[in-house]
Amino acid sequence: MAGGSQRVYRQRIKSTQSLKKMFRAQELIAASRIGRARARATSATPFAQAITRAVSAVATHGHVDHPMTEPRNDTNRVAVLVVASDRGMAGSYSAAIIRETERLLERLEREGKQPELYVAGRRAISYYRYRGRTLRGQWAYGSDSPNVEVANEIADALLTAHNASAQDGGVAELHVVYTQFVNMVTQRPRVVRMLPLEVVEGVVEHDEVEPLYDFEPSVEVVLDALLPRYVRSRLFSFLLEAAASELASRQRAMHTAVDNAEDLIRNYTRLANQARQADITQEISEIVSGADALAAAK
C-alpha cells in the first residue's frame, strides 16, 4: 500500500512540475508583451483625447441637432459592445467583464430598452453562445495585440447600426464594456456610453479667454466627418487598454499559479517522503518479526 502511495505522489509531482513549466512560460510571455501593450495604449490616448475635445467643441458651440449628439426616440434598441479576451489563463479578467455586462443589461432592460450584443473575444462569445444569447456581431480579434483594422471593422458595424432606420434594426445608443488599465495591479471593468455623445463643457481657467469657433463649410459637415473618426479612435483606444489589462491579469494569474504549483510540489514531496519512511518502517518490522519467528522456532 505504501509503495503504491509513493508512486501516486511521484506521478502528482511530475504532472505538477509540467503544469508549473507551462504557467511559467505563460507568465514570461505576458511579461514580455505588457511593456509594448502599455506603450501602445499610452500613445493612443492623446489622439483619442484630442478628437474627443474637437467633437465636444463642435457639438457645444455649433448649436445644432445631429443624430449622433441627440437621443433617438424612434427605437428602444441599444447596442452593447463587450470587449473580452480570446484566451484564458488570465484570472478573473473575462469573468469580471461578463459580470459588468450583465449588470448593464439588467439596468437597460429595467429602463425599458432592448439591448443587442456585439461581442469581441472568444471567451465572451463562448459564454453567450452557451446560454443561447443572440449575438448581432462577433469578432475573435487577437485580444492581446489588437490592430487598427479590426477596430475600424467593429466601429463601422456599430456606426452602421446606429445610422440605420428603426425598420432596418437601428439602435438608439451605443455602450462599450471594457477593462480600463489603471496599473499593473489594478484593472477596472468600465462602461462607456459612446453614442449619443455626452458633451461635457470644457474647463476654462480664470485667466484664459474662452475661444470663439467658426466652422467651415458647416457644423453638420464637420460633425459628419469628425464623429465616425471619434468612434473609431475611442474604440481603438479601448481595445489597446483592454489588451494591456489582459496581459497584466495573465501575468499576475500565472505568477500566482506558479507559486501554488511550487506549494503543491513541496506538499507532495513531503507526503512521498512520509510514505517512503512508512515503507522502510514496515519492512524493518517485517524483518524483525521474521527473525523473531525463526528464533522461536529453534
Side-chain angles (χ1 to χ4, degrees), residues 258-271:
V258 169
D259 291 343
N260 291 339
E262 290 175 347
D263 290 341
L264 281 175
I265 290 171
R266 281 193 293 269
N267 289 336
Y268 288 146
T269 302
R270 176 177 55 81
L271 293 171

Side-chain angles (χ1 to χ4, degrees), residues 186-218:
T186 305
Q187 297 84 44
R188 185 180 302 121
R190 186 185 178 201
V191 178
V192 177
R193 195 191 83 178
M194 293 187 66
L195 294 175
L197 180 66
E198 294 179 307
V199 179
V200 179
E201 295 282 352
V203 177
V204 179
E205 300 293 339
H206 68 279
D207 57 346
E208 292 182 358
V209 177
E210 185 174 359
L212 300 176
Y213 291 89
D214 189 19
F215 304 103
E216 293 292 342
S218 68

Side-chain angles (χ1 to χ4, degrees), residues 165-199:
S165 64
Q167 293 77 14
D168 294 332
V171 298
E173 298 177 4
L174 166 59
H175 298 261
V176 180
V177 187
Y178 77 104
T179 305
Q180 180 185 22
F181 182 87
V182 180
N183 51 50
M184 288 296 295
V185 178
T186 305
Q187 297 84 44
R188 185 180 302 121
R190 186 185 178 201
V191 178
V192 177
R193 195 191 83 178
M194 293 187 66
L195 294 175
L197 180 66
E198 294 179 307
V199 179

Side-chain angles (χ1 to χ4, degrees), residues 25-36 184 247 250-251:
Q26 292 293 332
E27 179 188 1
L28 294 176
I29 291 171
S32 67
R33 293 178 177 176
I34 184 64
R36 182 171 181 268
M184 288 296 295
L247 289 169
R250 180 168 292 116
Q251 181 185 10

Side-chain angles (χ1 to χ4, degrees), residues 35-295:
R36 182 171 181 268
R38 291 177 62 186
R40 293 182 71 195
T42 302
S43 63
T45 300
F47 180 76
Q49 291 175 342
I51 198 167
T52 300
R53 286 195 298 269
V55 172
S56 297
V58 177
T60 302
H61 300 281
H63 306 293
V64 65
D65 293 338
H66 192 275
M68 291 188 178
T69 59
E70 295 297 324
R72 292 178 59 172
N73 299 318
D74 58 339
T75 179
N76 64 345
R77 283 187 291 268
V78 176
V80 176
L81 173 65
V82 185
V83 180
S85 64
D86 280 340
R87 298 190 299 115
M89 291 185 156
S92 61
Y93 174 80
S94 292
I97 281 291
I98 290 172
R99 283 195 302 268
E100 191 68 28
T101 302
E102 291 298 322
R103 284 194 287 266
L104 173 63
L105 296 178
E106 291 175 2
R107 176 172 64 82
L108 293 173
E109 289 172 354
R110 285 196 304 268
E111 295 172 357
K113 298 174 182 177
Q114 179 184 340
E116 296 192 343
L117 283 171
Y118 294 77
V119 181
R122 289 191 183 93
R123 305 292 290 187
I125 291 173
S126 300
Y127 174 87
Y128 288 112
R129 275 183 178 174
Y130 180 76
R131 282 154 183 79
R133 296 293 295 267
T134 301
L135 303 182
R136 190 162 172 182
Q138 55 187 14
W139 297 268
Y141 65 104
S143 59
D144 59 354
S145 182
N147 56 57
V148 69
E149 288 78 12
V150 73
N152 289 341
E153 180 183 342
I154 298 172
D156 290 344
L158 296 171
L159 286 169
T160 299
H162 186 268
N163 295 332
S165 64
Q167 293 77 14
D168 294 332
V171 298
E173 298 177 4
L174 166 59
H175 298 261
V176 180
V177 187
Y178 77 104
T179 305
Q180 180 185 22
F181 182 87
V182 180
N183 51 50
M184 288 296 295
V185 178
T186 305
Q187 297 84 44
R188 185 180 302 121
R190 186 185 178 201
V191 178
V192 177
R193 195 191 83 178
M194 293 187 66
L195 294 175
L197 180 66
E198 294 179 307
V199 179
V200 179
E201 295 282 352
V203 177
V204 179
E205 300 293 339
H206 68 279
D207 57 346
E208 292 182 358
V209 177
E210 185 174 359
L212 300 176
Y213 291 89
D214 189 19
F215 304 103
E216 293 292 342
S218 68
V219 175
E220 292 84 354
V221 173
V222 173
L223 277 176
D224 287 340
L226 275 181
L227 282 167
R229 289 176 172 81
Y230 158 78
V231 173
R232 295 187 185 105
S233 65
R234 288 294 303 277
L235 182 56
F236 186 46
S237 177
F238 293 159
L239 294 182
L240 292 177
E241 274 203 72
S245 300
E246 178 186 346
L247 289 169
S249 297
R250 180 168 292 116
Q251 181 185 10
R252 189 170 61 253
M254 292 299 97
H255 181 77
T256 302
V258 169
D259 291 343
N260 291 339
E262 290 175 347
D263 290 341
L264 281 175
I265 290 171
R266 281 193 293 269
N267 289 336
Y268 288 146
T269 302
R270 176 177 55 81
L271 293 171
N273 289 337
Q274 289 177 354
R276 180 171 175 271
Q277 291 171 2
D279 250 353
I280 294 172
T281 302
Q282 182 178 353
E283 290 174 1
I284 292 173
S285 299
E286 290 173 354
I287 292 170
V288 171
S289 298
D292 291 342
L294 288 174

